[in-house]
Amino acid sequence: MKLVVTGGAGFIGSNFIRHVLAAHADDSIVNLDKLTYAGNLKNLADVTDSPRYRFVHGDVCDAKMVRDVLRGADAVVNFAAESHVDRSLVEPDAFLRTDVFGVFTLLEAVRELSIPRLVHISTDEVYGSLATGSARESDPLRPSNPYSASKAGGDLLALAYWQTHRVPVVVTRSSNNFGPFQYPEKVIPLFITNALDDQPLPLYGDGRNVRDWLYVVDNCTALDLVLRKGKDGEVYNIGGGHEVENIVLTRDILRLTGKPETLIRPVKDRPGHDRRYSVDSKKVRQLGWTPKHPFGKALETTVAWFREHEAWWRPLKSGELKAWYRQQYENR
Ligand code: NAD
Ligand code: TYD
């Protein structure tokens, strides 16, 4: 299969490219990525020389560029997005542009070129906060921050293109991912790297918010399955099945890094902070998916990866991210 992956230089996209190249010897991949602060070609250093992989620097909002890259593809998998909730609170423009207009540009190109499949990567955050129970794919979307609202826009637009134009889209809504190559602004890599440096771990609010953690490798196998076996016009939830309060997760990270709980620093809550996300993954499991990495072991592996890859994360933390945090905390 000739695949185009958009946003493949980020966290999940780079793990997905590595997975597909290893699992499918006949597949080739073109990776179209704008290389925002979150895009990093070092994430793909081990596959750069593969004859089955090619990188193209470009923006999913650039209609001409998108058409040129997509021509002749068998499928497109769209990871390209602005992905961090905290940034969407202060700089929402780029979220609307990429997470809505970028999806529109891809849909138009897929339609015009009659590409047989577009897998659009959405998120469980589009369902909004759930006090109890788990969201089914047919549940209404109630996003509550500019990130999740933008993602809901792209998600619904993709489904509308199926309804109106029969553009063959499949949408996935996964829970919070973690693992190697995650940008150290998201809570798990941020807390691991802060702990390794004996820096405080800024825990929002009362620390009792719940996320359902999914190891990125398990997400990649689910996405690969949905790409090949998913049904046009359908949505597939992908949940890790491990719901945990942030304070519990924080203690786990401190235990695994061998650091004291005195590093926990309660800080002012994130505005509009969703209390709990939870998805029902029955549908993707019926397609044949089972997560293979228990949370505890996967978190241990992730901590070990960050310990061993200081050269990857330290420049990120000392550059753009440091300036961004300084600005945020000055504003609080
Ligand atoms: P990320 O921020 O690590 O990577 C995003 C990638 O998209 C980067 O390589 C960036 O350069 C690229 N990009 C951004 N704007 C672009 C544009 N206009 N044109 C082309 N490329 C562009 O994100 P991630 O964590 O890997 O998430 C990937 C996708 O999965 C996103 O759509 C996100 O909403 C979704 N998702 C993420 C999680 C999670 O826990 N990380 C959970 C559910 C869904
Ligand atoms: P995050 O990794 O930003 O993912 P999302 O908000 O998309 O779920 O945050 C995960 C949880 O961790 C969320 O409840 C917010 C919390 N959090 C903190 O307590 N401190 C932090 O510094 C960050 C980044 C997140």
Coordinates of all heavy atoms in Angstrom, one line a residue, residues 7 9-13 33-36 38-39 58-60 79-81 83 98 121-123 147 151 174-177 182 186, ligand 1:
G7 N 1.5 14.9 9.4 CA 1.9 15.1 10.8 C 2.7 13.9 11.4 O 2.7 13.6 12.6
A9 N 5.8 13.6 11.8 CA 7.1 13.9 12.5 C 6.8 14.2 14.0 O 7.7 14.5 14.8 CB 7.8 15.1 11.9
G10 N 5.5 14.1 14.4 CA 5.1 14.3 15.8 C 5.2 12.9 16.5 O 5.8 12.0 16.1
F11 N 4.6 12.9 17.7 CA 4.7 11.8 18.6 C 4.0 10.5 18.1 O 4.7 9.5 17.8 CB 4.1 12.2 20.0 CG 3.7 11.1 20.9 CD1 4.6 10.1 21.2 CD2 2.5 11.1 21.5 CE1 4.3 9.1 22.1 CE2 2.1 10.1 22.4 CZ 3.0 9.1 22.7
I12 N 2.7 10.6 17.9 CA 2.0 9.3 17.5 C 2.3 9.0 16.0 O 2.6 7.8 15.7 CB 0.5 9.5 17.7 CG1 0.2 9.9 19.1 CG2 -0.2 8.1 17.4 CD1 -1.3 10.1 19.4
G13 N 2.4 10.0 15.2 CA 2.7 9.8 13.7 C 4.0 9.1 13.5 O 4.1 8.2 12.7
D33 N 4.7 16.9 6.6 CA 4.7 17.6 8.0 C 5.2 19.0 7.9 O 6.2 19.3 7.2 CB 5.5 16.8 9.0 CG 5.2 17.1 10.4 OD1 5.5 18.2 10.8 OD2 4.7 16.2 11.1
K34 N 4.6 19.9 8.6 CA 5.0 21.3 8.6 C 6.2 21.6 9.5 O 6.8 22.6 9.4 CB 3.8 22.1 9.1 CG 3.9 23.6 9.0 CD 2.6 24.3 9.5 CE 2.8 25.8 9.6 NZ 1.6 26.5 10.1
L35 N 6.5 20.6 10.4 CA 7.6 20.8 11.4 C 7.3 22.0 12.2 O 8.1 23.0 12.2 CB 8.9 20.8 10.7 CG 9.4 19.6 10.0 CD1 10.8 19.7 9.4 CD2 9.3 18.3 10.9
T36 N 6.2 22.0 12.9 CA 5.9 23.0 14.0 C 6.9 22.7 15.1 O 7.7 21.8 15.1 CB 4.5 23.0 14.5 OG1 4.3 21.7 15.1 CG2 3.5 23.1 13.3
A38 N 6.3 21.0 17.5 CA 6.1 19.6 17.9 C 6.6 18.6 16.9 O 6.7 17.4 17.2 CB 4.6 19.3 18.2
G39 N 6.9 19.0 15.7 CA 7.4 18.1 14.7 C 9.0 18.0 14.8 O 9.6 19.1 14.9
G58 N 5.7 20.4 4.4 CA 4.6 21.2 3.9 C 3.5 21.2 4.9 O 3.5 20.5 5.9
D59 N 2.5 22.1 4.5 CA 1.4 22.4 5.4 C 0.1 21.7 4.9 O -0.2 21.8 3.7 CB 1.2 23.9 5.4 CG 0.2 24.4 6.4 OD1 -0.7 23.7 6.8 OD2 0.4 25.6 6.8
V60 N -0.7 21.1 5.8 CA -1.9 20.4 5.3 C -3.0 21.5 4.9 O -4.0 21.1 4.3 CB -2.6 19.5 6.4 CG1 -1.8 18.2 6.5 CG2 -2.8 20.2 7.7
F79 N -2.5 12.7 11.0 CA -2.2 13.0 12.4 C -2.0 14.5 12.6 O -1.8 15.0 13.7 CB -0.9 12.3 12.8 CG -0.9 10.8 12.8 CD1 -0.6 10.1 11.7 CD2 -1.3 10.1 14.0 CE1 -0.7 8.7 11.7 CE2 -1.4 8.8 14.0 CZ -1.0 8.0 12.9
A80 N -1.8 15.3 11.5 CA -1.4 16.7 11.6 C -2.4 17.5 12.5 O -3.6 17.5 12.2 CB -1.3 17.3 10.2
A81 N -1.9 18.1 13.5 CA -2.8 18.9 14.4 C -1.9 19.7 15.3 O -0.7 19.4 15.6 CB -3.6 18.0 15.2
S83 N -1.9 20.1 19.1 CA -2.4 19.0 20.0 C -2.4 19.3 21.5 O -2.8 18.4 22.3 CB -1.6 17.7 19.7 OG -0.3 17.9 20.2
T98 N -5.3 24.4 11.6 CA -4.8 23.1 11.2 C -5.9 22.0 11.5 O -6.1 21.1 10.7 CB -3.5 22.7 12.0 OG1 -2.5 23.7 11.5 CG2 -3.1 21.3 11.7
I121 N -7.4 11.1 12.4 CA -7.2 10.8 13.9 C -7.8 11.9 14.7 O -7.4 13.1 14.7 CB -5.7 10.8 14.2 CG1 -4.9 9.9 13.2 CG2 -5.4 10.4 15.6 CD1 -5.3 8.5 13.1
S122 N -8.9 11.6 15.4 CA -9.6 12.5 16.3 C -9.2 12.1 17.7 O -8.2 11.5 17.9 CB -11.1 12.5 16.1 OG -11.8 13.4 16.8
T123 N -10.0 12.5 18.7 CA -9.6 12.2 20.1 C -10.8 12.0 21.0 O -11.9 12.4 20.6 CB -8.8 13.5 20.6 OG1 -8.8 13.4 22.1 CG2 -9.5 14.8 20.3
Y147 N -9.0 23.4 21.9 CA -8.4 22.2 21.3 C -9.5 21.2 20.9 O -9.6 20.8 19.8 CB -7.3 21.5 22.2 CG -7.0 20.1 21.8 CD1 -6.3 19.9 20.6 CD2 -7.3 19.0 22.5 CE1 -6.0 18.6 20.1 CE2 -7.0 17.7 22.1 CZ -6.3 17.5 20.9 OH -6.0 16.2 20.5
K151 N -10.9 20.0 17.3 CA -10.8 18.6 16.9 C -12.2 18.0 16.5 O -12.4 17.3 15.6 CB -10.2 17.7 18.0 CG -8.7 17.9 18.2 CD -7.9 17.5 17.0 CE -7.8 16.0 16.7 NZ -6.9 15.7 15.6
S174 N -9.1 8.3 20.1 CA -8.3 7.5 21.1 C -8.2 8.3 22.4 O -8.4 9.5 22.4 CB -6.9 7.1 20.6 OG -6.0 8.2 20.8
S175 N -7.9 7.6 23.4 CA -7.7 8.2 24.7 C -6.2 8.7 24.8 O -5.5 8.7 23.8 CB -8.0 7.2 25.9 OG -7.1 6.1 25.8
N176 N -5.8 9.3 26.0 CA -4.5 9.9 26.1 C -3.4 8.9 25.8 O -3.3 7.8 26.5 CB -4.3 10.4 27.5 CG -5.0 11.7 27.8 OD1 -6.2 11.8 27.7 ND2 -4.3 12.8 28.1
N177 N -2.5 9.2 24.9 CA -1.4 8.3 24.6 C -0.1 8.7 25.4 O 0.0 9.8 25.9 CB -0.9 8.5 23.1 CG -1.8 7.8 22.1 OD1 -1.3 7.1 21.2 ND2 -3.1 7.8 22.3
Q182 N 7.3 11.4 23.0 CA 6.2 12.4 23.2 C 6.8 13.7 23.7 O 7.7 13.7 24.5 CB 5.2 11.8 24.3 CG 4.0 12.8 24.5 CD 2.9 12.1 25.3 OE1 3.2 11.3 26.2 NE2 1.7 12.5 25.0
K186 N 3.4 17.4 27.5 CA 2.3 16.6 27.9 C 2.7 16.0 29.3 O 3.9 15.9 29.6 CB 2.0 15.5 26.9 CG 1.8 16.0 25.5 CD 0.3 16.6 25.3 CE 0.1 17.4 24.1 NZ 0.5 16.8 22.8
Ligands
NAD1 P1 2.1 16.2 18.1 O1 1.8 17.6 18.5 O2 3.2 15.4 18.8 O3 2.4 16.1 16.5 C1 1.7 16.9 15.6 C2 2.4 16.9 14.3 O4 1.6 17.6 13.3 C3 3.8 17.6 14.3 O5 4.7 16.8 13.7 C4 3.5 18.9 13.6 O6 4.7 19.4 13.0 C5 2.5 18.5 12.6 N1 1.7 19.6 12.1 C6 1.1 20.5 12.9 N2 0.4 21.4 12.1 C7 0.6 21.0 10.8 C8 0.2 21.4 9.5 N3 -0.6 22.6 9.4 N4 0.6 20.8 8.4 C9 1.3 19.7 8.5 N5 1.8 19.2 9.7 C10 1.4 19.8 10.8 O7 0.7 15.4 18.2 P2 0.4 13.9 18.7 O8 0.4 13.8 20.1 O9 1.4 13.0 17.9 O10 -1.0 13.7 18.1 C11 -1.3 13.3 16.8 C12 -2.8 13.3 16.5 O11 -3.4 12.5 17.5 C13 -3.4 14.7 16.7 O12 -4.4 14.8 15.7 C14 -4.1 14.6 18.1 O13 -5.2 15.5 18.1 C15 -4.5 13.2 18.1 N6 -4.5 12.6 19.5 C16 -3.5 12.7 20.3 C17 -3.6 12.1 21.6 C18 -2.4 12.2 22.6 O14 -2.6 11.7 23.7 N7 -1.2 12.7 22.2 C19 -4.7 11.4 22.0 C20 -5.8 11.3 21.1 C21 -5.7 11.9 19.8

